[in-house]
């Protein structure tokens, strides 16, 4: 990169979601793209004043998706299948796009399944869009280019 070249950060509103076998439409928000580790404190017998910090298990957070409610029932049906004991885990990708709507970053998750689905909050005096949200548990999140 030459001196003076701009390297602006990406904006958060250009993204799309792909999950195996689902026609999803547009989402307004995706959260939970996080991997976290647990530290293990360990003190050796000959040390009196300090502990070592060892790397422990890694955990993935729950991915939460929000969108305006439509006639599309695929997310609800997927959630109902899981509730009935149908083993229906799916892989998915959250794709961040640049200003030209070109794919730039991809977070892929594997073996995802809906843990919770929320319907809209209804209010006769409001005029907001009816929103639904879905929480997906998964067995691994990876940032790929």
């Amino acid at each position: 990169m030459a001196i003076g070249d701009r390297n602006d950060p990406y904006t958060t509103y250009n993204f799309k979601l792909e999950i195996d076998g689902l026609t999803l439409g547009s989402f307004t928000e995706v959260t939970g793209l996080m991997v976290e580790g647990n530290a293990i404190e360990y003190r050796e017998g000959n040390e009196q004043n300090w502990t070592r910090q060892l790397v422990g298990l890694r955990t993935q957070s729950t991915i939460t998706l929000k969108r305006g409610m439509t006639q599309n029932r695929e997310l609800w049906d997927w959630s109902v299948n899981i509730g009935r004991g149908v083993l229906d885990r799916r892989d998915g990708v959250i794709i961040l796009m640049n200003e030209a709507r070109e794919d730039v970053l991809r977070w892929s998750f594997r073996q995802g399944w809906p843990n919770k689905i929320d319907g809209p909050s209804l209010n006769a005096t409001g005029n907001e869009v009816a929103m639904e949200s879905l929480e997906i548990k998964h067995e691994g999140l990876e940032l790929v280019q």
Side-chain angles (χ1 to χ4, degrees):
M1 175 165 50
I3 296 175
D5 284 351
R6 290 182 59 140
N7 190 11
D8 292 336
Y10 300 116
T11 56
T12 62
Y13 63 86
N14 279 330
F15 65 91
K16 59 186 174 182
L17 174 71
E18 298 172 355
I19 297 178
D20 291 345
L22 294 180
T23 307
L24 296 171
S26 298
F27 285 86
T28 59
E29 185 177 345
V30 176
T31 60
L33 302 177
M34 180 179 74
V35 178
E36 184 177 16
N38 294 315
I40 301 169
E41 288 191 13
Y42 174 74
R43 186 177 80 77
E44 293 182 352
N46 63 348
E47 298 295 336
Q48 295 179 9
N49 296 326
W50 60 277
T51 60
R52 294 180 183 269
Q53 298 291 318
L54 304 177
V55 177
L57 294 175
R58 308 290 289 169
T59 58
Q60 294 82 228
S61 66
T62 302
I63 296 172
T64 302
L65 310 168
K66 294 182 182 180
R67 72 174 181 179
M69 192 87 185
T70 66
Q71 291 291 324
N72 185 324
R73 296 181 43 106
E74 288 181 292
L75 294 178
W76 282 90
D77 293 343
W78 185 26
S79 180
V80 168
N81 277 347
I82 295 295
R84 291 182 178 153
V86 176
L87 185 59
D88 189 5
R89 292 179 177 235
R90 300 178 186 201
D91 297 337
V93 180
I94 295 109
I95 303 165
L96 181 65
M97 298 178 288
N98 62 16
E99 296 294 327
R101 308 229 3 115
E102 301 165 330
D103 297 356
V104 290
L105 294 173
R106 302 168 69 90
W107 288 265
S108 65
F109 64 88
R110 64 180 185 278
Q111 295 295 305
W113 53 275
N115 185 54
K116 178 181 176 183
I117 191 162
D118 281 335
S121 297
L122 304 175
N123 183 341
T125 62
N127 65 351
E128 295 84 18
V129 172
M131 300 293 289
E132 69 177 334
S133 68
L134 176 72
E135 291 184 359
I136 296 178
K137 297 287 187 178
H138 57 92
E139 294 184 358
L141 182 68
E142 183 178 358
L143 178 61
V144 294
Q145 303 261 0

